[in-house]
Amino acid sequence: ILSLLVLTALSVKVFADKRRAIHRAQDSRLQFPALLFGAVLCWAAIQALPLPAPLAESIGHPAWNELKDQIGHSDVRISAEPGATWRAIGWLAACCAIFWLALRAGTRAGVADRMLLIIAAGSGRIAAYGILAVVLGTNPVTGPPAYPGVVTGTFVNRNAFAFFMTLGALACLPCFSAPHQSGHLPRGPGRTTAAGALLAITCAALFLSGSRAGVAAFLAALSVYLLLTRPHISSGLFRVSAAGAAAVVILSAPVLIERLADLDPSTNQRVDVYGLILSGIEARPLVGHGLGTFHDSFRPYLAASVSGAEWDYAHSTLLELIFELGIPGTLLVILGLAVIGWRCAAFAVHSRHKVAALGPSALAAAALHGSVDFAPQMPANTALFAMLLGLSCAATMGNARKPD
């Protein structure tokens, strides 16, 4: 109830802001993506609601039709588990709220810089904790490790931890920029040194996680960031960065080599699961099985070869979205994110604004990592991703408002 009240209050604030002239022009840039995500939320709600009788047979989920035949239950729905769909709608709406709050906060002078410093510092602390936990051989937060000798910080899953570290490392990068390129906080030796230390420890923890997809996603995000911003790096900073990168690679080499050696598709059940997920998509390509219902609605498609594991997630965010929302609904999500990312990228190329480049870089990481794992779906990761995307959008609008 409290969550619904907060979302309601935020919705009222959004509509109130639309009536104010100060941000009317800026808000118009987000109307199209907002309409797309609004359509996704509406479609997910339709999935969870009872269908009219004429549509029940054609697009109702087979589980409900079977229940109707057995006990005469009349509330046929598209979603296999409406409760899970409503919870997923609430979480998606909360992520939209985080994006909006970051966008609004980021348009105030200097706030985006301070938020990025807080994100970088928080990520650095989690990274340091993870490394210390491996050195000491105990992790009081997660208990006995699922991956002995591997850094996972406060996360149970190494891939989820690696994606969080990727976003934290991205938050460190604008701290090396000149004030006019990053925001309003002045750049100084202390700030640059702190940012460098946080970036180094975050990257070290990321590589020591042994997440193959996590490392690849970080390198993709870093490439996009450098491509968009084209930074001028001094020779001294370049030498320090090169030395730090070499140290990180040397430290993490044993873990990564061991993980890269384990790439035999015949021993990876994900390949078999992807084929089964495609079968589920083929059965309901347009309407899906219901947002947030993968765990329950995938069970009928399980084969004996993979039934020994509990498949809570599809291990591919993209496939899971298509399975749950259907192809049209997933295209709306992709299009909405692509529009936001394209506008931020265009602004970053034109102005070389470092914060504006964070959004497209985070999108690149999420697209790559999310294609082979569920790491972007973890609540901490999704929330941080939405926050960085909101700050990136705020940078394209300029710091129109002074601090309150």
Side-chain angles (χ1 to χ4, degrees):
I1 294 175
L2 178 60
S3 299
L4 289 175
L5 290 175
V6 171
L7 288 174
T8 302
L10 179 66
S11 301
V12 172
K13 182 67 170 66
V14 169
F15 284 109
D17 284 345
K18 296 295 291 182
R19 300 177 63 88
R20 299 174 60 188
I22 187 170
H23 282 302
R24 194 168 297 164
Q26 292 91 331
D27 289 342
S28 64
R29 305 176 194 174
L30 294 174
Q31 284 182 356
F32 182 57
L35 287 174
L36 293 175
F37 282 102
V40 172
L41 290 171
C42 290
W43 169 242
I46 291 172
Q47 288 181 315
L49 293 172
L51 291 169
L55 297 176
E57 289 291 336
S58 58
I59 63 174
H61 197 276
W64 289 101
N65 285 319
E66 184 176 346
L67 189 63
K68 178 182 177 182
D69 294 337
Q70 291 181 358
I71 64 174
H73 197 283
S74 60
D75 288 342
V76 177
R77 306 159 197 257
I78 295 174
S79 172
E81 216 292 82
T85 298
W86 286 119
R87 289 191 294 273
I89 290 172
W91 175 235
L92 181 57
C95 291
C96 292
I98 292 171
F99 168 85
W100 186 263
L101 291 172
L103 171 68
R104 278 299 187 223
T107 56
R108 298 190 178 103
V111 172
D113 276 306
R114 288 192 288 272
M115 291 179 69
L116 289 174
L117 287 174
I118 291 171
I119 293 171
S123 301
R125 290 190 184 99
I126 294 175
Y129 171 82
I131 295 173
L132 182 62
V134 170
V135 172
L136 296 178
T138 180
N139 192 326
V141 175
T142 63
Y147 318 99
V150 172
V151 178
T152 60
T154 56
F155 290 74
V156 175
N157 182 274
R158 76 166 101 209
N159 291 305
F161 172 76
F163 187 75
F164 190 87
M165 289 296 102
T166 294
L167 298 181
L170 286 176
C172 297
L173 296 177
C175 299
F176 294 99
S177 308
H180 72 279
Q181 293 178 322
S182 63
H184 290 75
L185 291 183
R187 185 181 68 168
R191 179 188 176 193
T192 304
T193 302
L198 290 171
L199 179 61
I201 194 169
T202 302
C203 290
L206 164 63
F207 278 74
L208 289 171
S209 70
S211 171
R212 297 164 298 195
V215 172
F218 169 72
L219 294 177
L222 182 61
S223 300
V224 170
Y225 181 86
L226 295 176
L227 182 65
L228 293 177
T229 58
R230 309 180 303 282
H232 295 296
I233 303 176
S234 64
S235 58
L237 181 59
F238 177 78
R239 286 194 294 268
V240 172
S241 301
V248 167
V249 171
I250 292 172
L251 285 172
S252 61
V255 177
L256 283 177
I257 291 173
E258 181 183 354
R259 290 286 291 159
L260 290 173
D262 185 24
L263 284 174
D264 185 2
S266 63
T267 61
N268 193 338
Q269 289 187 327
R270 294 189 194 184
V271 178
D272 298 329
V273 168
Y274 289 161
L276 299 174
I277 294 171
L278 291 174
S279 299
I281 293 173
E282 185 180 0
R284 297 171 65 79
L286 298 180
V287 297
H289 296 262
L291 182 64
T293 67
F294 178 83
H295 186 206
D296 295 312
S297 55
F298 180 60
R299 290 180 184 276
Y301 299 96
L302 274 175
S305 59
V306 296
S307 60
E310 190 69 23
W311 298 95
D312 298 1
Y313 300 95
H315 289 267
S316 170
T317 300
L318 177 61
L319 285 180
E320 188 166 330
L321 271 177
I322 299 174
F323 185 91
E324 294 180 347
L325 285 175
I327 295 174
T330 303
L331 289 177
L332 292 179
V333 175
I334 294 174
L335 181 58
L337 291 174
V339 169
I340 294 174
W342 176 261
R343 290 179 178 176
C344 292
F347 183 85
V349 169
H350 175 72
S351 65
R352 295 175 65 183
H353 198 293
K354 304 302 188 289
V355 178
L358 291 181
S361 303
L363 278 170
L368 179 57
H369 205 153
S371 63
V372 294
D373 197 71
F374 59 85
Q377 297 169 241
M378 295 296 97
N381 291 337
T382 312
L384 185 54
F385 171 78
M387 185 175 295
L388 289 180
L389 203 58
L391 293 175
S392 182
C393 283
T396 68
M397 298 177 181
N399 299 97
R401 297 168 64 182
K402 296 180 180 180
D404 292 336

